[in-house]
Amino acid sequence: MSKSKSSESVKVVVRCRPMNEKERAAGFERVVSLDVKLGQIMVKNPREASANEPPKVFTFDSVYDWNSKQIDLYDETFRPLVDSVLLGFNGTIFAYGQTGTGKTYTMEGLRKDPERRGVIPNSFEHIFTHISRSQNQQYLVRASYLEIYQEEIRDLLSKDQSRRLELRERPDVGVHVRDLSSFVTKSVREIENVMNIGNQNRSVGATNMNEHSSRSHAIFVITVECSEMGVDEENHIRVGKLNLVDLAGSERQSKTGAQGERLKEATKINLSLSALGNVISALVDGRSSHIPYRDSKLTRLLQDSLGGNARTVMVANIGPASYNVEETLTTLRYANRAKNIKNKPRINEDPKDAMLRTFQEEILRLKEQLKKRVGKKERRKQRRRRADGGRDGDDQEEGETEDDDDEDKGEYWKEQQEKLERERRAIVEDHSLVAEEKAQLLKEKEKKMEDLRREKEAGEKLAAKVKDMESKLLVGGKNIVDHTNEQQRVLEQKRQEIAEQKRREREMRQQMDNRDEETLELKETYSSLQQEVDIKTKKLKKLFSKLQAVKGEIEDVKEQHISERQEHEQIQDELTRELKLKQLILENFIPQDEKNKISSRMFFDEEEESWRMKPITRLEEDHQMMSRPQSAVGYRRPLSRDARYKAENVLTLAMDMPTRTTRDYQEPVIDPKTAAALEDALREENEIQVDASDHSSLGAAFSSGSLKKPKSGRPRTGRKSGTPSPGNPLYPQPRGLVPK
Ligand code: ADP
Ligand code: MG
């Protein structure tokens, strides 16, 4: 059952961070200005040449300038979304923007400072406070934390951080990450703990955390399950899922110039982000029937949030300074498009994968089990009492309630233990028994005592488990208590009212703005010619400036498109070159037979999105390969290593060449100084040439590195080294065979 609602747009807000110290020190100009009341943002062109150009204007659901407080964003923009998650809707908050513009600040903020806490910690507080104030509802809250880096999914809460997870799609639960760990959390402190662990793991293995976080997407997922008695007297469970997404930096990353592995890496780095852009474009285009969700892990995982059944808020983060203007405009255009995505939010009622239901059933089952144990014990007790002469009447037993059960239990165990101990002592003291017999009896008694202890332990364990599981199911006022006082509550209420009012005011202003333009166009009756001229001139001016703005926008988008296309073309060229190399290797170095064998076995796995080999069993079914009979005595035949591979029909490629054990002779390398000295020493007197005019050539002549054999091959040993002959020291006669 699901309550459907008409469609609603993705809510897009823009937040501009303050200038940072560096920017202020460098004296950068601020090119962004915001009209918070109207939800408008103006960006002017910092170039001197275009000083008279009108600023580019964008309108959003709301905009937040550098004075905005975290709590303002929360109350106005995020709180309503988290509220609907508590009702059982799916909700997603994206932080989009260039690195360093405040995505992480918006999502996490400074956790220790309540004023500067981001939406994630604020939502923790919100969710648990809501539960503590609830009545007649049972809640289960759990959290997961994952990261997408180079199209690989890492579970940030798992012990094994080297493991990569896969996406799976099931018709009943949709797209999900297989084996993603999730932790049930009972309080703000516990869920904060989960986040801290994830954040620590995020930095593990990253050589440069800044670079890593700017290239990876972090998704914190909170699932809130709520069980409540419906009007039909049946328990119903609603499940809301909140995705809190800190996206990778949106800045353009040059992929060109890279080759091989580096190219593969580069093309993967922002694949998810460009896929997100493509999905948004396709969604708002109206003409495209195909939405490319499958192009990346991110878009597949968040499919619901983009044109699906979730509520979505996108925060576009920008910087104010002139040197960022290109990126700022790109972000604003991106955000502007995202405004037009339509979602159809719907409450998830009684989904198949609700964990709360499993919990409730398990608790019931364990309680039954516990009851049975108690029942067994009771019967034993009754029997014992009857044997004792029935001093206590049965009626007393009926009067026992569950409350004194605990006390009673303890007494029972003690009684039993004492009884066994007494019997044991009796055996020890009984002198009529033979030693062997005694030992045997003692052993039996001890075993009984051990059994008793074990039984007791098992019972206790069971009770503890029930208690533990029950403590995880949160019930307002019972195992989760609201600590805010009345004053705080009133304050909270007021804040929310103000936020709501602000929102309505902004909406009205935006509507009025639109209407102004319309009425200007509609006013067709004029009292005088002059008035008509005035109004029409005004209208013309307005339309003209609008036209200019649109023209400018078209130019900009065209330019952007061209540069993007060029980059794509370059990447394509590089990929084609790679492909050609692979083909060359394939055609020339892989035997045709083997190639055919491989091709016939390969298939494209849509789930894994990679080429895989069909398992060999398929071939066996086709009787292409006979299985080896077992040996007569029933054991498996021993196989040599190579034969085993043969049997498994692993590719029969030619053997690798053995690794070489010899090396090519290499002339000894002599330190250049020594070489020079040696050469000097071995030089014939009249061979020395010194050119006083050119020092570099002198240097070259002396630093030839290794010792050169004379071309004549004649050994030169025996020649006396010498100082240049006094007769002609600077310009010796060149000799034909000696290199100059
Ligand atoms: P991103 O995650 O987008 O790369 P960060 O959130 O790390 O950017 O922000 C970069 C720096 O700017 C941080 O030091 C952060 O504290 C600061 N900052 C960002 N937004 C704001 C803001 N609205 N107010 C104050 N400081 C901010
Ligand atoms: Mg960040």
Side-chain angles (χ1 to χ4, degrees), residues 15-18 65-66 68 97-106 110 246 317:
R15 186 182 205 184
C16 184
R17 71 156 163 77
D65 63 10
W66 34 92
S68 62
Q98 189 188 356
T99 298
T101 51
K103 292 185 298 296
T104 307
Y105 184 81
T106 300
L110 306 173
D246 189 347
N317 291 92

Side-chain angles (χ1 to χ4, degrees), residues 99 183 272 308 310 393 459 523 606 611 633 698:
T99 298
F183 285 85
S272 275
K523 213 168 188 171
E606 295 284 343
W611 286 96
V633 279
L698 178 79

Side-chain angles (χ1 to χ4, degrees), residues 181-198:
S181 44
S182 79
F183 285 85
V184 175
T185 54
K186 305 195 286 288
S187 63
V188 173
R189 204 177 42 77
E190 278 189 18
I191 197 166
E192 270 174 355
N193 213 10
V194 168
M195 182 170 77
N196 289 342
I197 290 169

Side-chain angles (χ1 to χ4, degrees), residues 582-599 651-654:
K582 299 273 150 74
Q583 263 169 348
L584 186 89
I585 296 173
L586 199 67
E587 298 302 335
N588 294 292
F589 298 95
I590 310 284
Q592 194 66 31
D593 272 4
E594 303 302 330
K595 201 184 89 184
N596 293 345
K597 237 189 261 177
I598 299 172
S599 323
L651 309 174
T652 50
L653 294 177

Side-chain angles (χ1 to χ4, degrees), residues 55-103:
K56 297 188 190 312
V57 183
F58 299 86
T59 308
F60 293 97
D61 289 300
S62 38
V63 297
Y64 296 93
D65 63 10
W66 34 92
N67 298 316
S68 62
K69 301 266 170 300
Q70 298 275 42
I71 199 74
D72 296 338
L73 264 93
Y74 197 79
D75 282 338
E76 289 173 35
T77 302
F78 303 132
R79 187 181 285 278
L81 181 97
V82 177
D83 271 329
S84 50
V85 169
L86 289 164
L87 288 176
F89 288 98
N90 288 347
T92 298
I93 299 173
F94 286 108
Y96 181 90
Q98 189 188 356
T99 298
T101 51
K103 292 185 298 296

